[in-house]
């Protein structure tokens, strides 16, 4: 994360990649400009040893390209595209691979913004959406697809696992089997997994059959609550399509965002490991507290359950996101949130500072009540993103706030 993809000799020996705050790049000759555009517009393949030169910062920029190369390492992906937000990354994947009449299958719950895009924007383009819950297994999901009457139109599966904010787990390999069942020689059903909750450290969806892994890089990748960004990773062939649409939507990240994220990547592993170690302590504390009726945390999943099997197979850690229910509904949850002194009452997650919020009235406020009930996003539920502070301070704060309830 410190040196990969960067050559100091190309930047006056600077040890770190400078911020290439430039909109355009000067060609050495007109012939070079022509050659670069031929590749950029797909008029010919890149030659075996041809270095793809820089053209214009909507297409490429060193701060983006080096960042993308580094992000590829975590997920063992062939290619990556960085965007100016997680929502840009998600909407670009969906727009590129869905067309009017198609069906998109998605897991419930997904992040509120993603839910809105799937259920309110895509229908305006004639794209149908079908949601399934983590409780449903293969046969049940297949039956639902068949009943929809649009089985032959299934084009894409979008999954968020663990689900935000309930930490419910979905078996990616099971959805891959469903994608294969509905793929034909003319059409491959593609799977995209939003891996924001696990960052690039604790889950690698491509290894389990996903075609794309998607991130809100605003979260663990950025990690300091000071930048909004997103990323998509996948095979070289599919990512060419994503990058082409990015070029024409113009929703790539700028050089400054790229530089900030590169700086963040240097500490990604140490930050996330500290956050996870803290989260384990916090989850154990919460699970024994008399006012807490339920704790959703990967490290507390009971052995012998289906969720435990998925956890063992698909995850490299229990993460640093948890949610819990406080006895007394919304009033109790609000009293708790208003009493916090160290933990900040704010949406977003994955940053150095601990953050708490009320999903039902905040991040997931756009979803109908009946759906929220089905997803177990209750009035009592509080979501906590555990930061890098001393865990004793975090527990002290939670403890004193629970006393006020
Ligand atoms: C799981 C998840 N995916 C996607 C997003 C959207 O990312 P961004 O806010 O960077 O657009 C968020 C934002 O909270 C999220 O939590």
């Amino acid at each position: 994360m410190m040196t990969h993809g960067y050559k100091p000799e190309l930047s006056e020996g600077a040890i770190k990649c400078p911020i290439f705050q430039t909109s355009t790049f000067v060609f050495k000759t007109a012939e070079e400009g022509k050659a670069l555009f031929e590749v950029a517009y797909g008029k010919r393949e890149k030659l075996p040893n041809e270095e793809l030169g820089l053209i214009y910062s909507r297409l490429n920029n060193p701060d983006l390209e080096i960042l993308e190369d580094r992000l590829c390492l975590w997920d063992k992906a062939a290619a990556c595209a960085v965007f100016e937000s997680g929502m840009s990354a998600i909407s670009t994947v969906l727009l590129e691979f869905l067309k009017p009449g198609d069906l998109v299958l998605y897991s419930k719950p997904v992040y509120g913004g993603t839910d809105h895009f799937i259920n309110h924007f895509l229908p305006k383009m004639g794209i149908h959406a079908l949601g399934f819950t983590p409780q449903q297994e293969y046969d049940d999901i297949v039956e639902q697809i068949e009943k929809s009457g649009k089985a032959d139109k299934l084009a894409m599966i979008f999954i968020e696992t663990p689900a935000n904010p309930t930490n419910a787990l979905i078996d990616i390999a099971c959805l891959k089997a469903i994608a294969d069942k509905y793929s034909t020689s003319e059409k491959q059903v593609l799977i995209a997994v939003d891996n924001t909750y696990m960052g690039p450290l604790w889950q690698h969806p491509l290894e389990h059959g996903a075609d794309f892994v998607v991130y809100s890089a605003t979260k663990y990748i950025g990690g300091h609550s000071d930048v909004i960004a997103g990323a998509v990773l996948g095979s070289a062939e599919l990512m060419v399509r994503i990058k082409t649409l990015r070029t024409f939507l113009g929703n790539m990240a700028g050089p400054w965002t790229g530089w900030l994220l590169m700086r963040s990547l240097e500490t990604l592993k140490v930050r996330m490991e500290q956050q996870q170690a803290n989260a384990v302590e916090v989850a154990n504390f919460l699970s024994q507290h008399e006012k807490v009726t339920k704790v959703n945390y990967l490290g507390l999943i009971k052995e012998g359950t289906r969720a435990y099997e998925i956890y063992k197979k698909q995850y490299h850690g229990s993460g640093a996101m948890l949610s819990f229910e406080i006895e007394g509904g919304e009033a109790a949850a609000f009293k708790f949130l208003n009493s916090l002194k160290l933990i900040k009452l704010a949406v977003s997650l994955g940053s150095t500072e601990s953050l708490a919020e009320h999903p039902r009235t905040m991040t997931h406020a756009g979803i109908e009540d009946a759906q929220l009930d089905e997803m177990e996003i209750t009035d009592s539920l509080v979501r906590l993103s555990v930061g890098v502070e001393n865990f004793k301070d975090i527990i002290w704060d939670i403890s004193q706030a629970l006393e006020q309830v």
Side-chain angles (χ1 to χ4, degrees):
M1 291 302 109
M2 281 160 277
T3 56
H4 181 71
Y6 173 65
K7 295 181 184 150
E9 63 272 23
L10 296 182
S11 296
E12 308 276 1
I15 189 162
K16 291 294 164 188
C17 179
I19 305 168
F20 285 84
Q21 193 68 46
T22 182
S23 58
T24 194
F25 296 86
V26 179
F27 304 136
K28 290 188 195 78
T29 60
E31 287 77 9
E32 186 200 45
K34 178 182 175 184
L36 291 174
F37 270 97
E38 280 171 353
V39 177
Y41 278 98
K43 290 187 168 176
R44 65 171 174 88
E45 290 287 311
K46 203 163 69 116
L47 301 173
N49 290 325
E50 190 176 6
E51 287 253 353
L52 204 57
L54 296 156
I55 298 178
Y56 182 66
S57 286
R58 181 157 47 75
L59 277 66
N60 51 7
N61 177 289
D63 291 294
L64 273 202
E65 289 191 343
I66 299 167
L67 168 67
E68 287 165 351
D69 288 348
R70 290 183 187 177
L71 282 171
C72 280
L73 298 180
W74 294 98
D75 280 294
K76 298 195 181 82
C80 169
V82 172
F83 291 82
E84 200 53 53
S85 70
M87 277 316 302
S88 264
I90 291 166
S91 51
T92 303
V93 173
L94 294 170
L95 286 174
E96 176 57 31
F97 293 99
L98 291 169
K99 59 180 187 317
D102 278 350
L103 176 70
V104 56
L105 178 74
Y106 73 100
S107 61
K108 292 194 291 188
V110 283
Y111 165 64
T114 310
D115 190 285
H116 185 91
F117 192 78
I118 289 176
N119 287 304
H120 296 277
F121 180 77
L122 291 182
K124 286 198 267 184
M125 300 185 62
I127 295 161
H128 308 278
L130 188 64
F132 69 97
T133 63
Q135 287 73 37
Q136 290 179 249
E137 297 191 31
Y138 181 93
D139 290 342
D140 204 6
I141 301 173
V142 166
E143 194 187 320
Q144 202 187 345
I145 295 170
E146 294 297 332
K147 272 193 190 152
S148 76
K150 297 190 170 62
D152 59 327
K153 296 288 181 192
L154 181 65
M156 195 156 206
I157 301 176
F158 189 94
I159 313 169
E160 201 175 298
T161 176
N164 171 13
T166 55
N167 269 336
L169 301 184
I170 288 158
D171 185 350
I172 299 171
C174 168
L175 271 299
K176 170 68 178 159
I178 292 174
D180 288 345
K181 178 178 164 59
Y182 290 101
S183 291
T184 61
S185 52
E186 281 99 58
K187 143 201 108 160
Q188 190 195 348
V189 178
L190 298 169
I191 305 184
V193 177
D194 184 333
N195 199 30
T196 300
Y197 242 49
M198 287 282 115
L201 218 61
W202 299 313
Q203 176 175 248
H204 299 120
L206 300 180
E207 286 175 2
H208 299 276
D211 298 289
F212 298 108
V213 53
V214 179
Y215 291 102
S216 164
T218 312
K219 311 300 185 310
Y220 287 103
I221 294 173
H224 295 74
S225 299
D226 55 9
V227 63
I228 299 276
V232 182
L233 298 105
S235 69
E237 193 192 350
L238 293 174
M239 289 305 298
V240 166
R241 289 183 56 181
I242 298 284
K243 284 197 179 182
T244 304
L245 184 58
R246 183 183 71 171
T247 292
F248 296 109
L249 291 177
N251 54 358
M252 71 297 152
W256 174 228
T257 298
W259 185 88
L260 275 172
L261 292 180
M262 270 196 274
R263 186 174 174 139
S264 290
L265 276 185
E266 296 198 6
T267 56
L268 180 81
K269 188 161 183 285
V270 283
R271 278 188 281 114
M272 289 181 73
E273 284 178 347
Q274 185 61 48
Q275 287 172 268
Q276 177 172 259
N278 286 351
V280 169
E281 301 285 349
V282 171
N284 286 337
F285 170 80
L286 285 169
S287 65
Q288 283 157 28
H289 200 285
E290 57 184 14
K291 290 185 185 166
V292 175
T293 51
K294 186 178 179 191
V295 184
N296 300 316
Y297 182 59
L298 267 55
L300 296 178
I301 297 174
K302 296 239 168 6
E303 269 187 54
T305 58
R306 180 164 159 261
Y308 191 79
E309 267 174 45
I310 303 173
Y311 174 48
K312 284 288 145 190
K313 172 170 84 164
Q314 213 165 275
Y315 295 88
H316 300 286
S318 48
M321 287 302 300
L322 48 91
S323 58
F324 58 98
E325 290 186 359
I326 304 173
E327 196 162 352
E330 184 183 294
F334 277 19
K335 183 77 186 162
F336 170 80
L337 289 168
N338 291 337
S339 305
L340 291 168
K341 291 179 197 283
L342 169 74
I343 300 169
K344 300 288 179 287
L345 170 51
V347 297
S348 202
L349 59 102
S351 288
T352 44
E353 65 276 287
S354 295
L355 301 173
E357 63 114 6
H358 189 249
R360 191 163 176 122
T361 58
M362 296 171 193
T363 40
H364 295 67
I367 304 173
E368 284 161 21
D369 282 355
Q371 293 268 324
L372 289 166
D373 292 341
E374 189 193 1
M375 298 174 196
E376 297 180 18
I377 302 175
T378 64
D379 288 330
S380 310
L381 193 75
V382 168
R383 187 184 80 179
L384 188 64
S385 167
V386 180
V388 300
E389 304 94 337
N390 187 321
F391 76 86
K392 289 181 188 158
D393 291 337
I394 304 172
I395 290 175
W396 170 84
D397 197 21
I398 293 173
S399 174
Q400 68 80 23
L402 280 172
E403 263 171 46
Q404 306 302 316
V405 176

